[in-house]
Every structure is written in structure tokens, then in C-alpha cells.
Amino acid sequence: VAARELQIVLTSRRFSNEIRLPMCGVPYRRVMAYVGRLIEGGYKVAIAEQMEDARKAKGLVRREVVRVITPGTVVEEALLPEGAENYLVALAVDEKQGYGLAVVDLSTGEFAVTQTDDWPALLEELGRLQPREYVLPARLAADTAFTAPLKAVRPVRFSPLNEAHLYLAAARRRLLAHFGVASLEAYGCEGQPLATSAAGAALAYLQESQLSDLSHLRLTTYSLSHFLSLDSVTRRNLELTRTLREGRTPGSLFWALDATSTAMGARLLRRWIQQPLLDRERIEARLDAVENLVNDHFLRGDLRGLLDGLYDVERLVGRIGFGNANARDLIALRTVLDRLPDLKALLGKAAAARLQSLNESLDAVQNIAQLIRRVVVDSPPILVREGGLIRLGYNAALDALRATAAESRDWLAAFETSERERTGIPNLRIKYNQVFGFFIEVTKSHLDKVPSEYERRATVRNAERFVTPELRLREATILSAEDRADELEYELFVELRRQVAAESDRLQTAARVLAELDATAALAEVAARHNYVRPVVDEGDVIEIREGRHPVVERSLPGGERFVPNDTRLDGKDSRLVIVTGPNMSGKSVLIRQVALIVLLAQTGSFVPAASARVGLADRIFVRAGATDDIAQGRSTFLVEMSETAHILQHATPRSLVVLDEVGRGTSTYDGVGLAWAVGEFLHDAVRARTLFATHFHELTALSEERPGVRNVSLAVAEQGDEIVFLRQVVPGGMDRSYGVQVARLAGLPERVIARATEVMHRLEGTGEKGRAVEEAAVKVVRQVGERLLLPADDEIVWAVLRELYGLDIANLTPVQALVVLNELQGQLKRDA
């Protein structure tokens, strides 16, 4: 399997006459690159190491599996995405109570749990987390009906676990033993049985596969109800962290806001964007901090200067706690800790309460910085078992061994010089390798001068190698001292690493403070650089944006081109549903998305791209735009579109913001108009959500005549003969043209096609005008007939039958067609009766 996946040579080795086992190999120093490729393929990789010195072993060298690397348990820096988390998720399921969720990022020590009885909410959270691996009870891992929705979120590995690990009592015992506590109350999950079960399952899986103490894990509990809800469709359509078309970060909202200086700050900023807040106090506290840094240019500049270039403390602490950090990792940690006193002094000047609180939480941890400085050299080697790590003067025994080895090396240099003079061999050299140890090398041109006491050890191409009893004796002293020094250095380093790991709580707290400072400073830098303003966030239902701009589009415009800002108002009364019409390419989609993004940014605690903004808190944001088919699930484009629309209608509330970009375009015109009209009515009448509805169905503008909370706006254009100029400006009122042919000309369609399209369009428009005239006359006549017949005003079926009868073109109906129509109309009346 490995040979096939890694495209390396498959060989084999014979173990007996009957047994020959397949084998393949990779260079040891590049092993993690190959492991990474296997992990990306969804495999688990077992790492086995020698557990004793091969030189001292009798028979086979003892080996043990020391770790199992899986997609969700990667901690190696080279295999991790720098600006994103690497999550493993464990699920506990109870048919009556709901679902427990445990989230672990082993590389940083993040260990968060929650529980919910809402399956769609759980899927939305998994869509945010984008886990690399699921840990499930074995029965659920094999249940395709259960795993199919999880695969739809992200097709990753499912790792089965013995269900006994999810029993509440067993999970609780494991957690209490691991954290060394008598209660889980401090972690917030004491009264959440499913969250506790999921946490115990995650910990059991990690303990079985990682074989380390996992001391760096920090357990916290959170609630999904504390954050604005965003389903996977909305996340995708708003392009929060990846572009819709190419799946790349450049062009996403995160790209537009990412002015962070550290990897840990970038990860936190990404999380803030994906988890906007619902608590107004927390939003205001974050806005206060951003405003403080926007207004105080010097404070912001000094803070960003101190943060610039800092190493990723979260992952450094993760590797230290995990036990695979090297000496350079400790030097990187010391470099960060050395800046903390200056950061604390700088934050003492901040006025915002949140910045003051962060300063109080920031422990400079100078005892660890001093310890690392005292023990480790400034420029240590990467490998920790080959010496050169520990400072001279730290350990007397190590210094003595080094002195012995150094004396022996001096002796070797003197011995080489004396032998060269004694034998008269000018190019005599004393060398060393791991096979032969120390030896004297003489070129073949001087072999006649070699003394008789030299013992031949080996022959190479142009020289002979010799040893002497004196050299063998000194070799034992040198190697013994150097080997013991290397072993002692490693022991001292491991002890240092253990001491640092014991302070992981303080170090992780410092890392979280640094990450929040970096993310906050990044939001302030973007606000100052691009003229963002502080939004007013309240509990009302008004969303009012003056001169709003799209945060990504305005940054992506070609040089010299200016973004045209626009005003928007939504509320629960006169502007509950805003119908947006206008030509293709006029900016409808940009307008409605920019409103959603501004609301999201406001609830993230960020300044927003506008002249002013007032945002009544939204509990959810829904964005439905375009659609693609889902061939694997057998769903057409239109079915996907309707499924997404149905989800909105079933889950939106009056506190939600709904953004619809074309509903009903995937079917025939009349079906589409009917569906779009009914969806608009339902959102206005039943859901009462604040809604922006962009459409090319100009008929929908008539809703404003029937519903008091519907308002029409359009994107203005200027016509110049057959050409149009997009003004990008929102104006009151609807528009009855889409200028599709003109846009097609801009796209480069052949002129012959454009001319024919124009001809057909004019002909159909004429037919449409006649049809509309007939429809209007039918409504008038049917109303008069109904009044004379005393028909009930609310009998929709009867009225529909009368309208259809009036509109029939009887002169052009065949007898059979007339009978079919008559039968259908009678059937409708019978069903109504």
C-alpha cells in the first residue's frame, strides 16, 4: 500500500524458505514528507522506534510503536496548515438527549466540548470546524445513513472506537484522572453528560494512539447558542475563508481582514469571522478595543511591532507538551517570552477595558525564559541526540565529560603530528567513521614507509587504513566520553522540556492573549487603513447602512477604479422585504452580499466599510445564491436551489437576516415567478425576517402594492444607444428590464447571435404584452361575474377556475384539448368541494 501511494520501489525480504515479505523504504531524514502524503490519503501511520542501543543489544534490537499518526492527530509543523486549525472531532449520540461534540487540536492543546439536541445545528458547527478526522462508536462509524451527512460536510476519515469508552461513568473517570481533579465543574461540563461522553471518547482515542501524557490539553465548554448561526451554504456563498470558485484564501473575507503578524493571531481571526457573537456586551468590548487601537496610532504601531515575527506559541507549547519539541523550539519560545515584559508595559497605556483585562491575564513567565537561557545554547542543532545543546557551566558532570573528550581530541592532533614526523609520511591523517572508529590513513605512494607495528584495518581506492594499540586505547576513552556526554545532554534536555511542559497552563494563557492582541490589532489596522467605521450594535430590528462598501470587492478593483458605495435600510416594518432589481452585472449580488458581510463584521466586533452603520442583532444569516447540481446525490440544480430555500423558510426567524439572489431561475418562467412570489410572501407574512431579495423576475415588484413591508430598489444604468453604462447606484423603485442582450454583447457573443436574440426578444415581448392584457381583463371580468354569482371571496380554487376559463382561446382548441381542459377544471372544483 505504501509503495503504491508514495510511488516508491516495492521490494521484499526472505525470512524463511516459505515466507517472503514485501517491503519499501524512504530516507529517515525525510520521513515526515512521506508520512504527510499518507495522511493526506486518509491513512494512519504507526511509528516504531528502537528502544535500546543497538551496540548493546543482544540479538534483535527491541522496538515498540511509540505513536500512531492520523489525520486528526498531526503535530509536526511541516504537516500543519499555518493559519488554520487541525481538528479531530469525537461524537456521542443519544436518541433522546441529542449529541455531544468534543473538538481537539492536538497541535495547540485546544480541547473544547459542547452538546445540542439540534442535528442541523450540529452539522452547521461541523461545517465551521471542518474536522480532519471523526472518532465515532464502531456501530455509528459503520452506519452509512449516519455518516453520509458528515461526509457531505467534509469527506474525511472515520475512526471507530469501542463504545465502552463513551459510557458516561467511564468517560468521567478518564477525564478526572487525566486532569487530576475531583470534579468537572471547573471545566463547565459537569452537567452535560453527552459532552462529557464525547470528551472521554476523544481522550481515550488520543491516549491509545499517541502514547504520551497529553499534559498540554486544556478542556473548555462552549455553547452553540452564544454565536450567530451560519449554515454551510451561507459560509460558502459569503466566501468567509475560501473563494467560491477556486477554493483559495485570496479573495475571501479573511484575506481582506488578515493583517495579523502571527500564525496564532491569524487562526483566531479566522475563528472570529466564522463565529460572530450574539452577546452585545462581548461585541461592544471587542469594538472598544479595536476603537482604542484605531484612535491611538502610536499604541497600535508599537503593539504590532512587538508582535511582528513572533513564533507560534500555541504550537510550540503543543510540541513541548507532546514531547517532540527540539532545542530550537525552546529557543523560539524564549524569544517570545523575552518580549512579554515590553508588551505588558505597552498595554498598561491602553484605555479599553478588554485590553486592560488582557494585560492583567498576560503572565510574562520570565522564570521559564531564564531557565531556557541558562540551559540551552543560543544556536542549537536540530537533532537532540547528537550533542551540542547544553551550555558550558550548566552541569559539572557534562563539563567533565566534554573536557575529557576535548583532551583526547588534542591528544589525537598531537599524535598525528608526531607520527607524521616519526614516519616521514607527509600526508598521514587520523580519521574516524562509525564502521572502523579511529584509524590512520596512508596513501599508497607512501606505503613503503609504514612502520611494522601498524595493523592494517582496511584498503580503499587510493590508500590503506591502519590502527595501533595506542590509538585503540585512546579511541575507547574518546568515544566513551563523547557518547556519555551526548546521552547526558539528551537527559538534561528532556528534563528541561519536562519542566517547561509543567508550565503549559501559563504558557497557553500567554499564547491566547498574544493571539487576541494580534487579531484585535489586525482589525484596527484594516479599519484605519481602509476607512472603516465603528457600527452601532443594538437589540432593535433596524439594519441601516449609509455608503456601505463590499470589503473584498473594493480591495480587488483594478488600480484607479473606485467602489461606488450605497445605502441600505431594513427593518421589521416598512422595509422588511426589499426587492432588488436591475440588469445583469449592475451590482445586485455585490449589494446584497455586502449587507450580509457588514452585519457579520459588526457582530464579529469589527469596524465596517461604510460611512455609518446601525445593526440590530441578527440570530442567523442566510445567504442563498446560485446553485449547482449534486450529481452524486441525484439532485438537479433546481432541486438543490429549492432545498436550500426550504431550509431558510423552515429555520429563519424575525431576528434573522435573509439574502436571496435569484429564486426560481432553475425552472420555467411561470413556475419560477410563482415560486419566487410565494417565497417572498411567506418571508414577509409568516417568517417576518429582514430580507434582501435580488431577482430578474420584475413581476415581483408588484408585491410592494400588496404588502406594506415590501420596498423596491434597483441598480441604475444609463443607456447610450445599444450600449449601457453601469452606474452601480441604488435608486428607489423597481426596474422592468434586465439588459441581458447588451451584457451578452459585452461578454463577446458573435454579433449575428446578438442580432437574432434581439429579434426574438422583441417578438416575445409583444406576445407577453398581449398575454398581460388578457390576464388583466380576465381579472376584471371574473371579479364582476363572481360578485353577481355571490361567490365567496376567499374561495381561491373557484376564482382560479373562472380566470382560466376566461383566458381560454376556444377558437384554437381541438375537441380533445377542450375535453382535457374541462376535465381538469371540473377536477379542481370537485377537490375544492
Side-chain angles (χ1 to χ4, degrees):
V1 171
R4 183 187 70 239
E5 293 291 330
L6 300 176
Q7 298 182 16
I8 56 179
V9 175
L10 180 68
T11 182
S12 62
R13 177 176 293 178
R14 184 182 298 280
F15 285 84
S16 70
N17 289 335
E18 294 81 20
I19 299 175
R20 191 173 187 90
L21 295 181
M23 304 184 76
C24 68
V26 299
Y28 164 71
R29 293 182 186 276
R30 295 190 58 230
V31 66
M32 277 304 154
Y34 291 95
V35 169
R37 287 166 61 182
L38 291 171
I39 294 299
E40 286 299 319
Y43 293 98
K44 295 184 176 183
V45 180
I47 304 295
E49 291 186 357
Q50 293 180 178
M51 305 308 290
E52 57 183 336
D53 190 333
R55 293 170 297 184
K56 302 174 183 177
K58 295 180 180 179
L60 288 175
V61 178
R62 183 168 61 89
R63 295 174 174 85
E64 291 180 5
V65 172
V66 296
R67 183 181 169 208
V68 178
I69 305 178
T70 70
T73 60
V74 173
V75 296
E76 286 71 19
E77 186 175 9
L79 306 183
L80 289 167
E82 186 179 73
E85 294 84 356
N86 191 77
Y87 284 133
L88 174 141
V89 160
L91 292 176
V93 180
D94 184 279
E95 293 181 358
K96 296 180 179 178
Q97 297 183 65
Y99 312 92
L101 171 69
V103 185
V104 182
D105 185 343
L106 198 59
S107 69
T108 64
E110 181 184 353
F111 188 6
V113 296
T114 189
Q115 71 179 48
T116 180
D117 58 1
D118 187 343
W119 174 246
L122 177 67
L123 291 179
E124 288 177 7
E125 178 65 359
L126 293 174
R128 178 187 73 84
L129 296 169
Q130 290 291 297
R132 295 285 304 281
E133 182 178 1
Y134 288 101
V135 174
L136 300 172
R139 62 181 177 82
L140 288 180
D143 184 350
T144 55
F146 181 81
T147 59
L150 304 183
K151 287 182 178 178
V153 171
R154 186 175 186 178
V156 295
R157 182 181 180 88
F158 294 92
S159 297
L161 188 71
N162 188 326
E163 194 145 2
H165 291 311
L166 286 106
Y167 296 156
L168 178 60
R172 191 171 181 277
R173 280 196 303 272
R174 186 181 296 275
L175 292 167
L176 293 175
H178 176 76
F179 292 106
V181 293
S183 168
L184 296 176
E185 194 72 39
Y187 301 102
C189 55
E190 189 65 78
Q192 300 192 35
L194 291 176
T196 302
S197 295
L203 185 58
Y205 179 75
L206 293 174
Q207 289 174 336
E208 289 179 357
S209 62
Q210 303 308 300
L211 307 178
S212 65
D213 63 2
L214 305 172
S215 61
H216 65 300
L217 294 181
R218 291 175 59 89
L219 181 62
T220 58
T221 301
Y222 71 105
S223 172
L224 300 182
S225 63
H226 292 164
F227 303 101
L228 184 147
S229 182
L230 300 166
D231 59 38
S232 59
V233 174
T234 298
R235 293 179 190 278
R236 185 175 69 247
N237 286 327
L238 285 181
E239 300 181 297
L240 298 183
T241 58
R242 295 196 301 265
T243 57
L244 188 59
R245 176 167 299 197
E246 299 174 338
R248 298 168 60 243
T249 297
S252 67
L253 178 64
F254 173 68
W255 165 81
L257 298 179
D258 185 20
T260 55
S261 303
T262 69
M264 51 193 170
R267 287 195 299 273
L268 181 61
L269 180 61
R270 181 188 293 264
R271 193 180 312 163
W272 282 358
I273 292 170
Q274 294 180 309
Q275 276 189 312
L277 300 169
L278 290 178
D279 186 336
R280 183 165 170 259
E281 288 187 8
R282 291 180 64 191
I283 294 171
E284 293 292 352
R286 198 176 287 173
L287 286 171
D288 287 344
V290 173
E291 184 174 42
N292 189 171
L293 295 179
V294 168
N295 293 338
D296 193 333
H297 171 78
F298 294 107
L299 176 62
R300 184 176 79 250
D302 291 344
L303 176 60
R304 285 172 56 79
L306 285 172
L307 292 169
D308 186 39
L310 285 187
Y311 294 95
D312 193 339
V313 182
E314 287 180 328
R315 286 185 173 165
L316 285 174
V317 175
R319 289 198 293 277
I320 291 167
F322 195 76
N324 68 344
N326 60 30
R328 292 188 182 182
D329 289 330
L330 293 185
I331 293 298
L333 177 62
R334 191 200 78 189
T335 302
V336 175
L337 298 182
D338 286 344
R339 294 196 193 178
L340 296 190
D342 291 339
L343 269 169
K344 285 189 68 66
L346 184 64
L347 284 176
K349 305 173 184 177
R354 182 57 190 165
L355 295 179
Q356 293 173 359
S357 175
L358 290 174
N359 192 28
E360 292 170 4
S361 302
L362 182 58
D363 183 345
V365 206
Q366 286 305 289
N367 61 315
I368 294 298
Q370 293 163 4
L371 177 62
I372 296 172
R373 185 178 292 104
R374 193 169 72 251
V375 177
V376 183
V377 299
D378 289 333
S379 300
I382 295 177
L383 300 178
V384 296
R385 291 183 179 271
E386 297 183 3
L389 307 172
I390 307 299
R391 283 187 186 276
L392 186 66
Y394 174 69
N395 182 275
L398 176 61
D399 291 346
L401 289 169
R402 285 173 168 171
T404 300
E407 290 171 4
S408 297
R409 292 282 180 181
D410 292 341
W411 180 89
L412 281 175
F415 179 69
E416 181 184 77
T417 301
S418 65
E419 284 301 289
R420 197 178 294 149
E421 293 174 354
R422 183 174 74 88
T423 61
I425 303 173
N427 57 2
L428 180 148
R429 296 284 187 273
I430 294 180
K431 297 184 177 182
Y432 172 82
N433 68 31
Q434 290 184 331
V435 177
F436 299 114
F438 288 100
F439 55 85
I440 300 170
E441 186 172 278
V442 179
T443 60
K444 290 183 177 180
S445 60
H446 292 284
L447 288 179
D448 58 329
K449 300 176 184 177
V450 172
S452 59
E453 68 269 21
Y454 278 24
E455 302 172 14
R456 180 177 280 102
R457 178 64 65 87
T459 301
V460 292
R461 183 176 180 183
N462 296 314
E464 296 283 345
R465 293 173 175 176
F466 303 90
V467 295
T468 68
E470 192 176 13
L471 185 59
R472 276 203 301 267
L473 182 63
R474 185 62 69 166
E475 176 186 72
T477 303
I478 296 172
L479 295 181
S480 175
E482 289 184 344
D483 287 350
R484 180 62 192 128
D486 290 347
E487 290 176 5
L488 183 55
E489 279 205 64
Y490 179 69
E491 291 170 7
L492 293 171
F493 174 76
V494 170
E495 173 59 22
L496 170 65
R497 191 168 61 190
R498 186 195 64 74
Q499 289 178 268
V500 175
E503 301 285 358
S504 60
D505 281 357
R506 295 169 65 199
L507 292 170
Q508 285 174 324
T509 298
R512 287 199 304 275
V513 171
L514 291 173
E516 184 167 345
L517 287 172
D518 191 18
T520 305
L523 291 179
E525 181 68 19
V526 170
R529 196 183 298 169
H530 300 290
N531 196 29
Y532 287 15
V533 299
R534 176 171 179 159
V536 175
V537 180
D538 57 31
E539 306 287 347
D541 59 7
V542 174
I543 297 174
E544 189 167 26
I545 300 165
R546 190 168 62 83
E547 296 183 19
R549 313 185 308 275
H550 193 294
V552 179
V553 174
E554 76 165 344
R555 298 271 298 280
S556 306
L557 292 174
E561 189 171 339
R562 176 179 165 271
F563 188 93
V564 179
N566 277 298
D567 299 347
T568 306
R569 179 183 171 87
L570 290 166
D571 57 42
K573 299 176 183 176
D574 300 333
S575 298
R576 190 183 313 156
L577 171 63
V578 175
I579 305 293
V580 184
T581 53
N584 292 295
M585 289 182 59
S586 61
K588 298 191 302 298
S589 297
V590 170
L591 172 70
I592 61 177
R593 283 172 173 81
Q594 84 184 25
V595 172
L597 289 175
I598 287 173
V599 171
L600 183 143
L601 285 175
Q603 294 191 216
T604 296
S606 168
F607 279 29
V608 300
S612 67
R614 177 183 174 191
V615 174
L617 283 171
D619 60 353
R620 304 186 66 146
I621 296 177
F622 296 95
V623 178
R624 206 223 72 75
T628 55
D629 55 24
D630 187 353
I631 297 174
Q633 300 295 321
R635 302 197 307 166
S636 68
T637 301
F638 183 62
L639 182 56
V640 171
E641 178 186 335
M642 288 297 103
S643 298
E644 294 174 359
T645 305
H647 175 77
I648 295 173
L649 299 184
Q650 291 165 6
H651 292 88
T653 74
R655 299 293 310 176
S656 301
L657 171 63
V658 176
V659 172
L660 299 175
D661 193 356
E662 300 296 348
V663 170
R665 298 292 289 181
T667 185
S668 68
T669 301
Y670 291 120
D671 283 354
V673 171
L675 286 166
W677 186 289
V679 167
E681 282 186 347
F682 190 84
L683 285 167
H684 178 279
D685 300 346
V687 178
R688 304 181 68 82
R690 295 164 292 183
T691 304
L692 284 166
F693 196 149
T695 183
H696 283 288
F697 292 143
H698 310 121
E699 295 84 352
L700 264 62
T701 57
L703 266 172
S704 63
E705 301 172 8
E706 299 186 5
R707 298 294 190 277
V710 178
R711 187 165 59 89
N712 294 319
V713 299
S714 57
L715 275 297
V717 297
E719 296 188 60
Q720 298 176 352
D722 290 336
E723 306 293 330
I724 57 173
V725 176
F726 300 111
L727 302 180
R728 315 292 185 194
Q729 190 67 54
V730 173
V731 295
M735 183 175 288
D736 61 0
R737 291 187 62 188
S738 290
Y739 298 92
V741 173
Q742 288 87 339
V743 174
R745 177 182 282 112
L746 292 175
L749 260 65
E751 195 57 40
R752 178 178 174 183
V753 174
I754 297 298
R756 177 57 177 160
T758 303
E759 178 186 336
V760 172
M761 179 184 68
H762 289 326
R763 188 178 72 217
L764 293 177
E765 284 178 343
T767 304
E769 289 171 5
K770 293 178 182 177
R772 282 193 293 274
V774 169
E775 175 70 16
E776 291 171 2
V779 170
K780 291 179 181 178
V781 172
V782 168
R783 185 178 292 115
Q784 294 171 359
V785 172
E787 290 171 354
R788 291 176 186 172
L789 296 177
L790 301 178
L791 291 177
D794 60 349
D795 196 330
E796 295 182 2
I797 296 295
V798 174
W799 290 100
V801 168
L802 285 173
R803 282 197 298 272
E804 191 162 349
L805 274 172
Y806 185 88
L808 285 177
D809 185 3
I810 295 176
N812 291 311
L813 280 180
T814 66
V816 173
Q817 290 173 330
L819 287 172
V820 169
V821 170
L822 188 60
N823 184 58
E824 289 178 353
L825 296 177
Q826 186 184 64
Q828 290 183 46
L829 291 173
K830 285 183 176 179
R831 285 192 294 274
D832 186 41

